[in-house]
Amino acid sequence: MKALVLSGGAGTRLRPLTHTSAKQLVPVANKPVLFYGLEAIAEAGIREVGIIVGDTADEIREAVGDGSKFGIDVTYIPQELPLGLAHAVLVARDFLGDDDFVMYLGDNFIVGGIADLVHGFCEDRPDAQILLTRVSDPSVFGVAELDAAGEVVRLEEKPQHPQSDLALVGVYLFTPAVHEAVRAIQPSLRGELEITHAIQWLIDRSYRVRSTTITGYWKDTGNVIDMLEVNRSVLETMEPWIEGSVDEESQLIGRVTVEAGARVERSRIVGPAIIGRGTVISDSYVGAYTSVSEGCRIENSEIEFSIVLRDSSIKGVRRVEASLIGRNVTVAPAPAVPHAHRLILGDHSKVQISS
């Protein structure tokens, strides 16, 4: 079996961060989201991995390399425009050949990996297998409708009136039968070749499409809130690990990781939290569910439930929370601005002014 990992796309929901960076490389607990997917693929025993890349191809190549650090062999497959998941299968046809494959969206996060899913697919070998999970707002996902026997009968992409609350998770497994399906479908109203249409094509022609409903943790990290939630989930599983220096005036509470070369001075850190290599935390408070990447400086400030990317500084600020701060960012107090109140008041007025 091979793997096809999608790492193109514009990342519009994470702008302005993704104007200058690939959304799949935004870090969760100081590790890019994409890396968790590649590790899950390797743990499932898959070695040949094709990565679909677009405008951020150079950045993805630099981060992933040849895949050897993950135990995989990577082939990069360019997609000039993000024209849909089924289009990605089309452009990857030469790489995929006649092998079964798992398609993994590079900005998705699934706790527990995909090893059991892959092994089950190899044993039973349906023509396609999809993962489903129940969501509160199915209209922003691909949605599956099941019959009384639990068989998939209908798929819709971002329907206005969803027929169920079962959303498609960003992991799909296919036999070579899908290649005929992606060639047969037409672009949707939004101009994309939808993978849901390809799977529906298989269903309509009596191919065997199996679904698995997962109850574990899954997130599409396409927006800031989901990124912060995934960061929280990963940090909760981390064990404390101190390689950097923490002075006697500082206090670490709970599961805190301080990576090599980092310094914590006269500060209080409440875990779960991670402080990256070479970062300096001084006279500050870092609260729970915060990831601070490498080369950052946090001075005389407070931050909680946030992600700070590398080489950024936060100085003299109270308070930052629920934030995603990009690379090489400076956050500082605004300069003091003289102000006065100009009043025109009638008789018997009463005015209260905050000083």
Side-chain angles (χ1 to χ4, degrees), residues 262-275:
R263 303 200 317 270
V264 180
E265 303 168 346
R266 303 174 303 280
S267 296
R268 186 168 184 255
I269 302 179
V270 177
I274 183 169
I275 310 302

Side-chain angles (χ1 to χ4, degrees), residues 5-337:
V5 178
L6 276 62
S7 293
T12 54
R13 290 178 293 161
L14 276 175
R15 286 177 178 168
L17 201 67
T18 49
H19 280 308
T20 55
S21 179
K23 63 178 179 177
Q24 297 85 6
L25 296 182
V26 175
V28 167
N30 287 2
K31 182 165 66 176
V33 172
L34 175 62
F35 288 12
Y36 292 96
L38 295 178
E39 289 170 354
I41 287 167
E43 288 169 3
I46 299 171
R47 295 294 172 260
E48 293 184 72
V49 179
I51 300 183
I52 298 288
V53 290
D55 292 342
T56 58
D58 291 344
E59 191 179 9
I60 299 289
R61 287 174 186 269
E62 182 179 356
V64 176
D66 63 2
S68 56
K69 62 185 175 184
F70 303 99
I72 57 178
D73 182 16
V74 169
T75 299
Y76 292 97
I77 304 166
Q79 185 185 28
E80 292 185 5
L81 292 172
L83 297 176
L85 305 188
H87 182 261
V89 176
L90 276 177
V91 300
R93 183 67 177 92
D94 289 344
F95 166 77
L96 295 170
D98 292 324
D99 294 307
D100 296 348
F101 67 98
V102 55
M103 184 166 71
Y104 197 115
L105 306 194
D107 58 355
N108 276 227
F109 183 88
I110 300 175
V111 169
I114 60 170
D116 290 344
L117 178 72
V118 169
H119 296 157
F121 178 85
C122 291
E123 289 179 1
D124 190 40
R125 207 165 177 264
D127 296 295
Q129 182 165 347
I130 57 176
L131 266 66
L132 305 174
T133 192
R134 298 192 182 279
V135 296
S136 58
D137 184 10
S139 65
V140 297
F141 299 98
V143 175
E145 185 179 349
L146 309 183
D147 64 15
E151 297 295 324
V152 185
V153 293
R154 189 163 176 248
L155 299 176
E156 285 189 279
E157 187 64 32
K158 297 180 175 62
Q160 290 186 350
H161 305 288
Q163 298 302 304
S164 84
D165 62 352
L166 292 170
L168 276 74
V169 175
V171 178
Y172 309 79
L173 297 104
F174 296 110
T175 67
V178 75
H179 295 300
E180 184 180 1
V182 297
R183 288 195 304 269
I185 61 174
Q186 298 298 314
S188 64
L189 293 177
R190 59 179 188 161
E192 297 188 4
L193 291 175
E194 312 286 1
I195 198 66
T196 47
H197 292 179
I199 299 170
Q200 186 67 52
W201 188 93
L202 293 173
I203 294 169
D204 292 343
R205 284 151 186 81
S206 300
Y207 284 90
R208 193 157 62 105
V209 176
R210 188 173 70 180
S211 70
T212 300
T213 302
I214 63 173
T215 57
Y217 190 85
W218 163 78
K219 281 288 183 183
D220 169 4
T221 60
N223 60 55
V224 173
I225 295 302
D226 286 341
M227 285 293 306
L228 294 174
E229 280 298 312
V230 172
N231 187 64
R232 178 192 60 78
S233 177
V234 174
L235 288 176
E236 284 183 336
T237 67
M238 295 182 66
E239 295 299 323
W241 171 40
I242 310 299
E243 280 196 333
S245 64
V246 180
D247 71 8
E248 293 182 355
E249 298 178 66
S250 296
Q251 187 179 23
L252 306 185
I253 300 172
R255 297 188 300 279
V256 176
T257 293
V258 180
E259 296 186 325
R263 303 200 317 270
V264 180
E265 303 168 346
R266 303 174 303 280
S267 296
R268 186 168 184 255
I269 302 179
V270 177
I274 183 169
I275 310 302
R277 293 174 178 271
T279 283
V280 178
I281 311 290
S282 61
D283 303 295
S284 295
Y285 168 78
V286 177
Y289 309 122
T290 300
S291 295
V292 183
S293 195
E294 61 186 31
C296 295
R297 295 189 71 89
I298 298 180
E299 300 176 6
N300 193 29
S301 298
E302 298 178 4
I303 185 168
E304 188 166 42
F305 188 49
S306 295
I307 299 173
V308 183
L309 275 60
R310 61 177 175 82
D311 301 323
S312 290
S313 66
I314 302 172
K315 299 181 180 180
V317 178
R318 313 206 189 281
R319 156 173 177 137
V320 176
E321 63 181 28
S323 298
L324 177 55
I325 296 172
R327 298 174 293 185
N328 294 288
V329 169
T330 298
V331 181
V337 178

